[in-house]
């Protein structure tokens, strides 16, 4: 296996090399970055058998180690998932360059011009579990946004990640993007060391459990863009269309249960519960979903379906599996209160034909993504037209929700004058500013 350009160096040297390469990447024209992205797509297509073989070896080892089913589903990279990831690479290449935009262009005074210009963050430190396809997405977004990236994947995906980075490095070696801009760490010890490299790393993005994200936040001085649990809800309002409600419920739970935007709790208005729940339970039963319900749910369903009594813990659990907790609520306010109490501010949906009720839900549910009459599974960077995502941020400060290119740039203020000095703008004879947008 061909080593990466700086793989044998100490971590600080790797980070320094990444930062130097990132500075070169930051000033590349859009065409050069797009050429590098297309080179990666071509190389990944050519190396598909090798990548899948490495992933298969990871999967075998992970099963031997007793990997949890949800994590195994995220680890497994079949030909369909890899092709989708490569399509995502090309989609990023088609997106507008986020670097060099000018949101503000303003005359402060004659000959004194202010510009707010978008620019790369610098070097990203990405720590993620299992998903090798995430490495592909993150690398592509980093290049398009002009950022270097240091990737730390989980041990369960080490063969997949090493193969992917080697293929990416080989692709970049024939482009204007230095391979050193993309780095991979492979040991647990390097995770702790990575968090101390505030001299070289500008932003840490952890993708894992809530406890892991908190651990990262508490052990670094580097800004952290946190993506933790995905405890997502669907609320079936009394004015819901029953067929829409069943279809959305099934899709949100079963389309890909391991996804962070899969539904974990179904809330049903008491006025519609006796009619809706048997329909939903029948559809979910066909897909082998285990149901856990409150007393009202049990009373409605237990004559036909086995419903496990839900506990307080169920309302705050991300199953990432074919398990669904169900609660009957008396009102829209009760549904919103439940979501804001137990949810993770990720993605929550309402099914209703009453627009006023939907508007209230969308306004009052405190989550990064709020949906009306559609599945929570749409909460995804690719589906949002972002090309891909580095993660989904559940924090209040932006970027929030799926983080694509716009979340990987910051800005600087550029001011150009012609000998202007502040002394002329203060005092009794102060010159006025024009503050005219150009």
């Amino acid at each position: 296996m061909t080593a990466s350009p700086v793989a044998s160096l100490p971590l600080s040297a790797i980070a320094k090399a990444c930062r130097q390469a990132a500075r070169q990447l930051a000033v590349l024209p859009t065409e050069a970055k797009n050429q590098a992205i297309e080179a990666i797509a071509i190389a990944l297509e050519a190396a598909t058998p090798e990548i899948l073989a490495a992933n298969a070896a990871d999967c075998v080892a992970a099963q031997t180690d007793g990997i949890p089913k949800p994590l195994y589903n995220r680890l497994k990279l079949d030909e369909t998932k890899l092709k989708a990831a490569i399509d995502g690479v090309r989609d990023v290449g088609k997106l507008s360059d986020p670097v060099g935009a000018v949101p503000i262009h303003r005359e402060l005074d004659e000959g004194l011009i202010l510009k707010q210009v978008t620019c790369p963050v610098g070097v990203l430190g990405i720590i993620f579990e299992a998903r090798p396809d995430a490495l592909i997405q993150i690398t592509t977004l980093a290049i398009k946004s002009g950022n270097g990236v240091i990737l730390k994947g989980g041990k369960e995906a080490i063969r997949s990640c090493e193969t992917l980075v080697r293929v990416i490095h080989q692709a970049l070696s024939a482009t204007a993007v230095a391979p050193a801009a993309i780095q991979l760490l492979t040991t647990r010890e390097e995770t702790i060391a990575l968090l101390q490299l505030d001299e070289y790393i500008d932003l840490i993005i952890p993708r894992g459990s809530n406890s892991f994200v908190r651990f990262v936040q508490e052990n670094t001085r580097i800004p952290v863009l946190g993506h933790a649990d995905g405890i997502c809800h669907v609320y079936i309002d009394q004015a819901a269309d029953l067929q829409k409600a069943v279809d959305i419920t099934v899709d949100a739970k079963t389309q890909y249960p391991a996804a962070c935007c899969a539904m974990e709790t179904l809330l049903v208005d008491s006025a519609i519960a006796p009619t809706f729940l048997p329909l939903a339970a029948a559809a979910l039963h066909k897909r082998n979903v285990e149901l856990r319900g409150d007393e009202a749910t049990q009373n409605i369903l237990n004559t036909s379906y086995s419903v496990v009594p839900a506990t307080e813990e169920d309302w705050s659990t991300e199953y990432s599996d074919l398990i669904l907790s169900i609660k009957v609520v008396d009102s829209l306010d009760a549904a919103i209160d439940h979501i804001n109490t137990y949810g993770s501010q990720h993605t929550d949906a309402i099914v209703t034909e009453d627009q006023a009720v939907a508007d209230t839900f969308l306004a009052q549910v405190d989550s990064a993504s709020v949906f009306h009459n559609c599945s929570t599974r749409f909460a995804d960077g690719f589906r949002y037209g972002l090309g891909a995502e580095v993660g989904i941020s559940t924090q209040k400060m932006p970027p929030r929700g799926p983080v694509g290119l716009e979340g990987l740039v910051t800005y600087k203020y550029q001011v150009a004058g012609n000998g202007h000095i502040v002394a002329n703008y203060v005092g009794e004879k102060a010159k006025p500013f024009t503050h005219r947008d150009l």
Side-chain angles (χ1 to χ4, degrees), residues 353-369:
E353 298 304 302
D354 188 325
Q355 188 62 52
V357 168
D359 290 343
T360 299
F361 181 94
L362 299 177
Q364 294 187 13
V365 169
D366 188 17
S367 298
S369 291

Side-chain angles (χ1 to χ4, degrees), residues 69-71 73-74 253 256-262 318-321:
K69 180 182 174 183
L71 202 59
N73 290 338
R74 293 176 182 175
K253 181 68 257 182
Y256 183 40
C260 59
C261 59
E318 181 180 18
Y319 303 113
S320 299
D321 202 351

Side-chain angles (χ1 to χ4, degrees), residues 127-206:
I127 310 171
F128 59 98
E129 287 181 314
R131 292 182 52 187
D133 55 323
L135 184 151
I136 298 171
Q137 297 174 353
I138 292 163
T139 297
T140 309
L141 289 168
I143 291 172
K144 187 63 178 267
S145 59
N147 292 291
V149 62
I150 301 176
L151 301 149
K152 172 60 181 72
K155 66 175 183 178
E156 66 282 344
I158 187 170
R159 300 169 186 83
S160 305
C161 291
E162 286 181 335
T163 301
L164 286 169
V165 170
R166 179 169 54 80
V167 170
I168 290 169
H169 279 175
Q170 290 173 344
L172 293 180
S173 64
T175 74
V177 177
I182 312 298
Q183 297 294 342
L184 176 68
L185 308 182
T186 58
T187 69
R188 184 180 181 87
E189 293 72 25
E190 287 173 319
T191 301
I192 304 298
L194 179 71
L195 300 179
Q196 309 310 313
L197 294 176
D198 52 296
E199 181 180 355
Y200 300 110
I201 299 176
D202 299 285
L203 181 65
I204 295 285
I205 304 178

Side-chain angles (χ1 to χ4, degrees), residues 88-254:
V89 171
R90 291 196 164 102
D91 285 336
V92 172
K94 297 172 186 176
L95 295 175
S96 299
D97 194 334
V99 178
V102 185
I104 298 175
H105 187 195
R106 180 172 297 151
E107 177 192 83
L108 305 183
D109 192 12
E110 185 177 354
L112 186 63
I113 307 299
L114 165 73
K115 290 182 181 180
Q116 184 193 62
V117 183
T118 58
C119 60
V121 171
V123 175
L124 313 173
I126 315 289
I127 310 171
F128 59 98
E129 287 181 314
R131 292 182 52 187
D133 55 323
L135 184 151
I136 298 171
Q137 297 174 353
I138 292 163
T139 297
T140 309
L141 289 168
I143 291 172
K144 187 63 178 267
S145 59
N147 292 291
V149 62
I150 301 176
L151 301 149
K152 172 60 181 72
K155 66 175 183 178
E156 66 282 344
I158 187 170
R159 300 169 186 83
S160 305
C161 291
E162 286 181 335
T163 301
L164 286 169
V165 170
R166 179 169 54 80
V167 170
I168 290 169
H169 279 175
Q170 290 173 344
L172 293 180
S173 64
T175 74
V177 177
I182 312 298
Q183 297 294 342
L184 176 68
L185 308 182
T186 58
T187 69
R188 184 180 181 87
E189 293 72 25
E190 287 173 319
T191 301
I192 304 298
L194 179 71
L195 300 179
Q196 309 310 313
L197 294 176
D198 52 296
E199 181 180 355
Y200 300 110
I201 299 176
D202 299 285
L203 181 65
I204 295 285
I205 304 178
R207 298 182 61 166
S209 67
N210 198 26
S211 60
F212 174 67
V213 173
R214 283 200 301 269
F215 171 82
V216 170
Q217 292 170 330
E218 292 167 0
N219 286 274
T220 186
R221 294 189 297 271
I222 304 169
V224 177
L225 182 63
H227 164 209
D229 295 341
I231 303 172
C232 304
H233 302 76
V234 174
Y235 168 54
I236 310 301
D237 177 58
Q238 61 180 301
D241 177 288
L242 289 178
Q243 190 58 55
K244 286 182 187 177
V246 171
D247 291 345
I248 289 170
T249 296
V250 171
D251 187 84
K253 181 68 257 182
T254 69

Side-chain angles (χ1 to χ4, degrees), residues 390-402:
V390 295
I392 293 181
S393 172
T394 53
Q395 66 182 20
K396 284 291 192 73
M397 295 298 291
R400 196 180 191 200

